[in-house]
């Protein structure tokens, strides 16, 4: 899949684009099945709400590690994902800086305060702040599910100051957020924030400086979304003191190859066959 010139221009104007119908119902099903398997695993890269519900599962794309998922690995390498990523990043040599699946659970899943992703990554040693995240909806998403909201054009503000907020009682870790007074001013002068809604299988590309956030899930359905952050290999992080863990700041900057468009379904089938043969033993 190639982005049109208009889509690339929209990405650079708004700081994000939404591409419906990118992944099929069967592919979403294969990813959801593996997410159910991953949700039962206890690991340092799995984070929970205070209620115990899973919030985020990090590092699903590598071949090793407790939450390695062949389906997610295949997703990150499909031409439908990688071609648009390479077009928007302007490089054919890209690697994955991290992945996470946010399983915002029905009634329990809590939000993210207004932030830029680079507000988290600013101390990780990246020379340039032009990374991007590809988000795939794994469930139909409306505002009631705690959809993302984006402030269009906010990536053009550059990096704005963030602080650590620990007022969000429902979650284990403090969040990075734009100062309240500052975000108030931005909201007063920017265009209205756009709810990022759509059917399962929708792909969203967003710039690491685009200000975004989300609310709680008020619905009876889980809101599952996968986030894959790509970076140009040339923009890999420089050495920093006390680097954060590999699950958020990957040091595997081997360029990601474009693989088969059937990859997600074949990985799903291989896992099902393995499960059946184990059950048969
Ligand atoms: C994020 O901003 O990193 C995630 C927000 C969400 O999943 O609602
Ligand atoms: Mn974010």
């Amino acid at each position: 899949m190639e982005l049109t010139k208009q889509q690339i221009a929209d990405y650079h104007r708004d700081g994000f684009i939404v591409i419906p119908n990118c992944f099929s119902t069967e592919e979403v099903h294969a990813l959801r099945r593996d997410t159910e398997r991953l949700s039962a695993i206890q690991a340092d890269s799995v984070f929970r709400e205070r209620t115990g519900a899973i919030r985020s599962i990090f590092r699903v794309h590598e071949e090793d590690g407790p939450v390695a998922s062949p389906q997610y690995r295949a997703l990150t390498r499909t031409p439908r994902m990688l071609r648009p990523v390479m077009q928007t990043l302007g490089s054919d040599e890209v690697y994955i800086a991290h992945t996470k699946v946010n399983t915002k659970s029905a009634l329990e899943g809590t939000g993210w305060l207004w932030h830029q992703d680079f507000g988290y990554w600013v101390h990780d040693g990246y020379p340039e702040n032009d990374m991007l995240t590809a988000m795939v909806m794994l469930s139909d998403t409306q505002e009631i599910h705690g959809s993302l909201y984006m402030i269009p054009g906010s990536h053009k503000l550059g990096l704005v100051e963030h602080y650590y907020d620990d007022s969000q009682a429902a979650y284990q870790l403090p969040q990075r957020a734009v100062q309240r007074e500052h975000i108030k001013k931005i909201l007063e002068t920017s265009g209205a924030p756009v709810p990022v809604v759509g059917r399962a299988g929708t792909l969203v590309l967003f710039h690491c400086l685009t200000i975004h956030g989300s609310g709680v899930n008020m619905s009876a359905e889980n809101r599952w979304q996968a986030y894959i952050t790509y970076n140009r290999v040339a923009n890999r992080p420089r050495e920093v003191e006390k680097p954060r863990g590999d699950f958020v700041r990957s040091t595997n900057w081997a360029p990601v190859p474009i693989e088969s468009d059937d990859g997600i379904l074949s990985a799903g089938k291989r896992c099902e066959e393995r499960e059946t043969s184990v059950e048969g033993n």
Side-chain angles (χ1 to χ4, degrees), residues 100 102 104 112 115 117 146-148 212-214 223 225 227:
K100 67 181 180 200
N102 284 349
K104 193 179 270 189
W112 272 261
H115 67 278
D117 285 339
S147 69
L148 285 179
H212 60 284
S214 66
R223 191 222 67 176
Q225 296 185 335
Y227 295 76

Side-chain angles (χ1 to χ4, degrees), residues 22-32 199-201 265:
C22 237
F23 297 95
S24 70
T25 310
E26 291 74 27
E27 289 176 313
V28 167
H29 175 76
L31 292 162
R32 287 182 60 94
R199 305 292 302 263
L265 293 182

Side-chain angles (χ1 to χ4, degrees), residues 122-163:
V122 61
H123 302 299
D124 286 337
Y126 301 108
E128 307 282 340
N129 52 19
D130 64 352
M131 298 155 72
L132 78 72
T133 295
M135 185 269 270
V136 179
M137 293 183 193
L138 299 174
S139 51
D140 294 346
T141 307
Q142 295 302 322
E143 289 175 67
I144 192 168
H145 299 106
S147 69
L148 285 179
Y149 289 84
M150 302 268 174
I151 302 184
S154 51
H155 61 307
K156 294 190 178 148
L157 296 170
L159 182 63
V160 303
E161 201 183 325
H162 285 62
Y163 72 106

